Amino acid sequence: MFNEVKGLNEECGLFGVWGSPNAAQLTYDGLHSLQHRGQEGAGIVSNDQGTFHRHRGLGLLGEVFSRDPEALHQLTGDAAIGHVRYATAGNHGVENIQPMQFEHPEVGEFALAHNGNLTNANQIRQELLAKGVTFQATSDSELLGELIQTSNEPSFAGQLIAALNHVHGGFAYLLMTPNAMIAALDPNGFRPLVIGELPDGGTVICSETCALDQVGASFVRDVEPGEIIIVNNDGMSIQHFTTDTHLAICSMEYIYFARPDSIIRGISVHDARKRMGAKVAQEHPVKADVVIGVPNSSLSAAIGYAQASGIHYDMGMIKNQYVARTFIEPTQAKRDRGVSMKLSVVKSVVAGKDVVLVDDSIVRGTTSKYIVRLLKRAGAKSVHVRIASPVLKFPCYYGIDIQTTKELIGANNTVDEIRDLIEADSLAYLSVDGLVESIGALNDSANHGLCTAYFDGNYPTPLYDYQAGFDAEVTRLGLYEGAN
């Protein structure tokens, strides 16, 4: 149940279009802009007047479709849904690549794509096994489809509502039947999901607004917690599978996961990250000559730090975009080699200078240590690390692959100990209050509308399958009294 932490791993990206010619090409283009959300696999299902066509595979989106140059052209129809995957549950085989397909006695074929993580997946899997269900994959994404198929409700709509009320945790779903595209968001809205309109009148539903921009769609609205959005040839309608909702969007979307050009619930990700950088500069000032950011997700925060502190900002590090991600490497030596191939220092920027290094987070600390050493080898007099988020202490169970504290350096060490471990001259983190202030309140209630559980242990939902393991972790580390 508890996976070893390999890094701040992305979740998944969803993109769907209804009522537009060449829907599969639009879906491909939209998924390309969501590639940062998942690089393990990709797939698209198209709908040509009720006949479904699917192509999926392991690897980046471009790799999946370049293996068969005709695949995209064979995805005909004016509707399609697609998915880019990072595994937070299940193994890494092609059987878990989405969208998944199902046969239904009422609607015929339907397809499903999921972003998030179910906290009661084990319980549901046992219930379905007892009913004789044979699973086609190992991830929790299949479970909603199987719940629909085994439901006693008389209609597909009723089966979907019952299934959505039976799954718990973080989920953004896109489904497609022969006659409709359907979206649903969990009662806490942990994952972003937005609706857009194409110039030709087609409707797009996707994970981030950057994908709307990619295909020339105009933003219409966010999908709200507990909503079911139904798009068909008659237009768009809105239902609710529950009204017991409590907005708690994942704060890591603003810190790390979303693209900086996206807007989440009316807040620019780039601007929020700049404010995080500015706030950590106010909370933890230091005398230095230059501010640099760890490319690429920390550059906005580094700009904000420089602007607030008055310290010169410069491009002190370069990222090689063509090197594979390092967190999947099996040994630390290989991970270090991967970092050395991915990041390089502009010596003229840091040599002989006191450097402020701004990063978005520290997970296990090994990459941070390597970067500090890299800067000092390039001639930096001192390196002062500033993290534009709070100390990462607690697991995430809603769709980010951080499900144990075992390798979280912040759960096992004090800030001073982390400073020594990464060999920095100083180290400081943004406060939780500073994070919330930087992002901004997302609703008008006393609750700020953010999930900050990774930093303070205040989970907005029961943990179900994960509760016993979480309690054991908390007890072992003495992290938090009464967390639930």
Side-chain angles (χ1 to χ4, degrees):
M1 182 186 304
F2 290 92
N3 301 320
E4 289 190 357
V5 177
K6 300 302 181 189
L8 278 182
N9 302 339
E10 292 86 340
E11 329 96 343
C12 300
L14 307 177
F15 188 97
V17 58
W18 184 272
S20 184
N22 206 16
Q25 182 67 60
L26 287 170
T27 301
Y28 179 94
D29 294 345
L31 289 176
H32 189 271
S33 68
L34 298 173
Q35 188 73 85
H36 59 286
R37 299 187 71 87
Q39 295 97 45
E40 290 190 355
I44 296 175
V45 171
S46 71
N47 180 353
D48 190 352
Q49 299 182 2
T51 300
F52 285 14
H53 306 281
R54 179 173 67 175
H55 184 74
R56 61 178 180 166
L58 295 169
L60 299 174
L61 179 72
E63 295 171 341
V64 170
F65 282 88
S66 65
R67 295 186 198 117
D68 182 356
E70 295 301 313
L72 195 57
H73 302 296
Q74 294 168 356
L75 299 178
T76 55
D78 63 0
I81 63 172
H83 186 269
V84 289
R85 182 176 194 253
Y86 176 77
T88 59
N91 65 35
H92 304 277
V94 70
E95 70 276 7
N96 284 315
I97 304 302
Q98 302 174 41
M100 294 180 174
Q101 290 181 267
F102 304 85
E103 289 289 340
H104 189 274
E106 177 189 342
V107 303
E109 200 168 13
F110 73 94
L112 177 153
H114 168 224
N115 174 25
N117 189 64
L118 303 183
T119 53
N120 65 336
N122 290 346
Q123 171 193 328
I124 293 173
R125 187 172 294 275
Q126 294 305 312
E127 293 172 3
L128 290 170
L129 284 171
K131 293 182 178 181
V133 169
T134 300
F135 294 101
Q136 56 180 293
T138 60
S139 81
D140 62 353
S141 299
E142 180 183 2
L143 298 180
L144 187 81
E146 300 294 353
L147 285 171
I148 291 171
Q149 290 186 306
T150 58
S151 173
N152 293 323
E153 294 292 326
S155 68
F156 182 83
Q159 293 161 5
L160 174 60
I161 289 172
L164 289 169
N165 278 293
H166 194 34
V167 296
H168 300 305
F171 56 83
Y173 285 110
L174 264 183
L175 296 90
M176 188 167 61
T177 72
N179 300 311
M181 177 172 68
I182 304 167
L185 191 63
D186 71 71
N188 296 97
F190 287 115
R191 302 287 147 226
L193 201 58
V194 297
I195 304 169
E197 184 177 0
L198 291 161
D200 62 9
T203 300
V204 172
I205 302 179
C206 58
S207 293
E208 293 185 39
T209 60
C210 66
L212 298 180
D213 297 337
Q214 180 67 43
V215 300
S218 57
F219 173 79
V220 174
R221 67 190 291 272
D222 293 290
V223 179
E224 296 294 333
E227 281 190 338
I228 300 174
I229 307 295
I230 303 169
V231 181
N232 56 31
N233 291 340
D234 296 324
M236 184 176 76
S237 61
I238 302 170
Q239 298 182 17
H240 295 83
F241 65 90
T242 181
T243 56
D244 184 12
T245 61
H246 178 85
L247 182 65
I249 193 165
C250 174
S251 56
M252 289 303 300
E253 292 285 352
Y254 293 97
I255 294 165
Y256 178 82
F257 289 118
R259 257 181 37 170
D261 53 331
S262 284
I263 296 172
I264 300 178
R265 304 199 69 86
I267 295 173
S268 161
V269 174
H270 170 66
D271 290 346
R273 289 176 184 170
K274 284 177 63 179
R275 290 192 293 269
M276 293 174 206
K279 189 65 178 177
V280 75
Q282 295 167 6
E283 291 180 348
H284 302 286
V286 65
K287 292 183 66 175
D289 303 308
V290 65
V291 175
I292 67 172
V294 178
N296 286 324
S297 58
S298 305
L299 299 183
S300 300
I303 292 170
Y305 191 102
Q307 290 176 344
S309 66
I311 302 171
H312 173 66
Y313 169 81
D314 210 335
M315 186 174 67
M317 300 193 75
I318 305 294
K319 182 177 182 180
N320 182 345
Q321 305 290 346
Y322 306 103
V323 177
R325 295 176 302 167
T326 57
F327 70 82
I328 60 174
E329 295 291 356
T331 67
Q332 189 57 48
K334 288 188 176 182
R335 281 193 291 267
D336 287 346
R337 181 172 177 268
V339 174
S340 70
M341 295 175 68
K342 180 178 289 188
L343 295 173
S344 58
V345 175
V346 182
K347 292 183 179 180
S348 62
V349 172
V350 305
K353 295 177 182 176
D354 296 308
V355 177
V356 176
L357 175 68
V358 178
D359 205 351
D360 50 60
S361 57
I362 298 179
V363 183
R364 67 157 69 82
T366 51
T367 298
S368 299
K369 179 178 181 177
Y370 188 89
I371 292 173
V372 170
R373 286 183 172 181
L374 203 62
L375 292 170
K376 291 189 174 181
R377 284 202 301 265
K381 285 200 303 183
S382 63
V383 179
H384 303 274
V385 178
R386 294 296 181 266
I387 305 301
S389 68
V391 182
L392 190 60
K393 293 183 178 180
F394 295 90
C396 171
Y397 305 107
Y398 306 121
I400 300 173
D401 193 16
I402 308 175
Q403 296 179 0
T404 175
T405 59
K406 181 179 178 181
E407 293 186 63
L408 290 178
I409 194 172
N412 296 279
N413 299 274
T414 67
V415 173
D416 286 344
E417 288 169 342
I418 299 170
R419 178 202 63 211
D420 293 341
L421 287 167
I422 67 172
E423 300 178 6
D425 292 272
S426 71
L427 169 66
Y429 291 79
L430 181 64
S431 65
V432 175
D433 288 343
L435 172 68
V436 173
E437 180 184 333
S438 299
I439 296 172
L442 299 179
N443 58 24
D444 296 328
S445 69
N447 169 57
H448 46 62
L450 292 167
C451 176
T452 56
Y454 336 100
F455 315 118
D456 56 22
N458 294 318
Y459 293 92
T461 72
L463 298 181
Y464 300 104
D465 295 345
Y466 297 99
Q467 188 66 57
F470 174 71
D471 290 343
E473 295 268 286
V474 168
T475 300
R476 178 177 68 87
L477 294 168
L479 275 173
Y480 183 74
E481 293 297 328
N484 60 57

